[in-house]
Amino acid sequence: MFNPQAEAMPVKELRKLQGERLKSLVRRAYDHVPFYRAKLDAQGVKPDDVRGIEDIAKLPFTLKPEFREQYPFGMFAAPMKDIVRIHASSGTTGKPTVVGYTKNDVDNWAECAARSLGCGGATAEDVVQVAYGYGLFTGGLGMHYGAEKLGAAALPMSSGNTEKQIMLMKDFGVTVLCCTPSYALQIAEVAAKMGEDLMKLPLKSGHFGAEPWTQAMRQRIEELFPLKALDIYGLSEVAGPGVANECLEQHGLHVFEDHFYPEIIDPETGDPLPDGQKGELVFTCLTKEGVPLIRYRTRDITMILDDGPCPCGRTSRRIARLMGRTDDMLIIRGINVFPSQVEDVLVRIEGVQPQYLIVVDRQGNLDTMEIKVEVTEALFSDEVKKLEALRDKIHHQIKTMLNVSAKITLVEPNTIERTLGKAKRVQDLRKLT
Ligand code: DLL
């Protein structure tokens, strides 16, 4: 364990610590974020009403659209002089959700990412290849700081350039790999083409997440790499990677709950559900200063396991592998995409109808996204050159706004199936959940 004192803390002590931290969190949010003050006032809750962790159920939920409405800095509880890092994740339309971190926030996040790596047995001796994207996305920098905190050597590869990834993995004696599970499979495929035998490498653990994956994918990865494939979960609003990670038991992800308090609720009613029951995962960030988060509804579906303490000795609760989402967010090659973002782009382009279908598939190990778009009658009978220009324009706008390259197919008016109720905008052929 990276931090046995925190990770194996007796549960009673942990609950007490969580209660103390919740009290100061609510006070901080109430005093510094008008959004929270208004919400707490509307609910009739004052910071002094929070005496222990059991009072958490009195607090209002925070929703992603509310977060986004505060764009860019309305959720910040600390002045910009104390903010040392800004990340962002895609929102449901054009504007992203913005998170700011103080020095302490970055330290705590690095601590949790280091604990995640520790869950796979990594120590200061290890060389950690970080093949998550670096940038506004939290994957790269999150695991990078975690590796450094652990005292390991961080190799900041970012994603892509797969042949070089493989060359350095071999030449530098990489022992820990961090990337999306689909990218791990892609690395294996390229290695096979290069004639490299990955099974000869000194790899021991892999921390794969940022997108849904399955037990079958785990088995496949473990057949292709000589490592234990572990599930890592996180989200930018809460911190980034390292909110929870599987230990070597590979049975549920330990939530680092001295920082991130988990609840499972019924997504319809908002009522808390008992352990062992599937529902929506909600997080309260007990220590965050930059952007305090109270009962944030992640839209991710999972359950808190109820099968007793983990043999690894960590006392934190574990969540099951993520089982889907309550909304329509797609994750394409690790990038979050909402159909509403696609719609937002299309409605601004002349000549297209607001009728479209997003078809997601996986070819080999790579996600593909095709957007079928209806064009207007007038345009459809126009010359081919014009249609091609329109297709390129849509492709470019989607790439710019969503950061995803999509195949654009223009179709005749009235060819996309109309439904009586909610329009069906997505066809996901990947079968991942
Ligand atoms: O994906 C942070 C991250 C980076 C996690 C690297 C793990 C590794 P966001 O871009 O904000 O942050 O996306 C968060 O991705 O709400 C889930 O729907 C999904 N997700 C993340 N990890 C997993 C996982 C990062 N292990 C959203 N299994 C979350 C399934 C995951 N889905």
Side-chain angles (χ1 to χ4, degrees):
M1 278 180 226
F2 172 67
N3 182 348
Q5 214 192 340
E7 293 175 74
M9 185 182 289
V11 173
K12 221 170 137 193
E13 222 176 286
L14 180 60
R15 297 286 171 263
K16 190 159 164 267
L17 177 69
Q18 288 168 330
E20 281 158 15
R21 288 182 168 176
L22 181 68
K23 269 195 271 183
S24 59
L25 166 78
V26 175
R27 167 58 64 199
R28 200 160 55 243
Y30 191 82
D31 288 349
H32 298 291
V33 187
F35 164 80
Y36 280 122
R37 178 181 285 253
K39 282 202 81 149
L40 288 160
D41 282 345
Q43 188 107 339
V45 187
K46 293 277 171 255
D48 288 340
D49 297 335
V50 179
R51 292 186 197 87
I53 195 66
E54 60 288 351
D55 291 326
I56 198 160
K58 292 181 186 166
L59 304 172
F61 293 115
T62 307
L63 307 173
K64 179 143 182 149
E66 292 177 325
F67 199 127
R68 207 178 59 88
E69 275 161 25
Q70 298 300 316
Y71 179 87
F73 303 140
M75 294 297 271
F76 286 26
M80 203 47 91
K81 75 173 175 49
D82 295 333
I83 298 290
V84 299
R85 177 96 65 81
I86 296 173
H87 282 284
S89 83
S90 35
T92 40
T93 51
K95 302 275 191 211
T97 313
V98 184
V99 271
Y101 304 70
T102 64
K103 176 84 179 56
N104 284 336
D105 293 337
V106 170
D107 280 352
N108 286 332
W109 177 22
E111 152 89 26
C112 293
R115 288 186 201 171
S116 296
L117 292 166
C119 277
T123 66
E125 309 280 334
D126 284 289
V127 181
V128 181
Q129 181 158 350
V130 182
Y132 286 115
Y134 280 63
L136 283 179
F137 175 57
T138 52
L141 281 164
M143 294 319 287
H144 182 106
Y145 272 61
E148 286 190 356
K149 184 88 167 182
L150 189 67
L155 184 57
M157 295 300 295
S158 201
S159 50
N161 212 345
T162 311
E163 295 195 356
K164 191 163 179 187
Q165 302 259 5
I166 294 162
M167 180 179 89
L168 299 191
M169 186 183 285
K170 186 175 154 198
D171 295 348
F172 292 2
V174 167
T175 49
V176 179
L177 175 63
C178 302
C179 62
T180 58
S182 55
Y183 192 55
L185 290 172
Q186 175 72 6
I187 291 177
E189 197 175 293
V190 174
K193 282 196 194 124
M194 289 164 69
E196 294 290 354
D197 183 1
L198 295 174
M199 289 313 265
K200 289 202 182 118
L201 302 184
L203 286 162
K204 65 178 189 197
S205 56
H207 297 259
F208 305 120
E211 63 181 14
W213 55 311
T214 57
Q215 186 61 24
M217 275 173 84
R218 188 206 308 270
Q219 271 162 14
R220 188 82 195 110
I221 292 173
E222 290 187 344
E223 280 161 16
L224 295 163
F225 293 86
L227 50 69
K228 279 266 196 185
L230 305 175
D231 198 353
I232 181 167
Y233 169 82
L235 62 164
S236 18
E237 295 90 323
V238 170
V243 171
N245 202 107
E246 275 181 326
C247 65
L248 292 170
E249 299 291 326
Q250 295 180 312
H251 181 60
L253 293 81
H254 286 277
V255 178
F256 302 115
E257 54 167 320
D258 48 338
H259 293 285
F260 315 115
Y261 188 84
E263 293 173 271
I264 300 289
I265 61 160
D266 178 330
E268 300 295 324
T269 63
D271 293 337
L273 292 176
D275 293 356
Q277 264 191 46
K278 195 163 111 171
E280 182 179 341
L281 180 60
V282 172
F283 275 112
T284 299
C285 296
L286 299 172
T287 49
K288 277 227 326 226
E289 298 172 342
V291 174
L293 209 51
I294 297 176
R295 301 193 89 199
Y296 183 66
R297 292 184 59 164
T298 63
R299 302 287 174 195
D300 288 317
I301 299 169
T302 183
M303 63 169 102
I304 293 178
L305 299 183
D306 63 351
D307 52 2
C310 184
C312 78
R314 289 176 182 82
T315 48
S316 54
R317 286 174 290 171
R318 283 162 295 150
I319 51 171
R321 181 189 284 287
L322 279 288
M323 301 165 181
R325 292 186 54 89
T326 63
D327 63 7
D328 54 2
M329 186 181 91
L330 299 160
I331 307 183
I332 318 266
R333 278 171 254 144
I335 297 165
N336 303 350
V337 174
F338 290 93
S340 50
Q341 285 177 292
V342 173
E343 186 162 320
D344 204 50
V345 169
L346 294 179
V347 294
R348 290 164 209 267
I349 298 178
E350 212 180 313
V352 304
Q353 308 263 40
Q355 294 292 350
Y356 62 94
L357 181 70
I358 303 169
V359 184
V360 186
D361 205 349
R362 185 162 280 185
Q363 274 164 20
N365 301 307
L366 283 183
D367 294 333
T368 58
M369 176 163 134
E370 178 186 8
I371 307 174
K372 296 186 179 171
V373 188
E374 273 185 22
V375 295
T376 53
E377 199 78 60
L379 206 101
F380 202 78
S381 46
D382 229 317
E383 44 190 302
V384 175
K385 247 206 279 171
K386 269 202 184 154
L387 286 171
E388 277 174 358
L390 178 66
R391 196 189 54 203
D392 292 349
K393 185 172 174 185
I394 300 174
H395 181 270
H396 176 77
Q397 300 276 35
I398 293 280
K399 175 86 191 143
T400 311
M401 296 305 292
L402 281 71
N403 205 15
V404 169
S405 213
K407 179 180 173 209
I408 309 297
T409 309
L410 300 180
V411 298
E412 281 180 60
N414 287 314
T415 44
I416 288 175
E417 197 192 333
R418 306 290 195 264
T419 45
L420 285 178
K422 237 162 115 62
K424 188 170 164 22
R425 298 296 190 202
V426 180
Q427 211 178 343
D428 195 338
L429 307 170
R430 292 174 298 182
K431 311 248 178 317
L432 284 178
T433 46

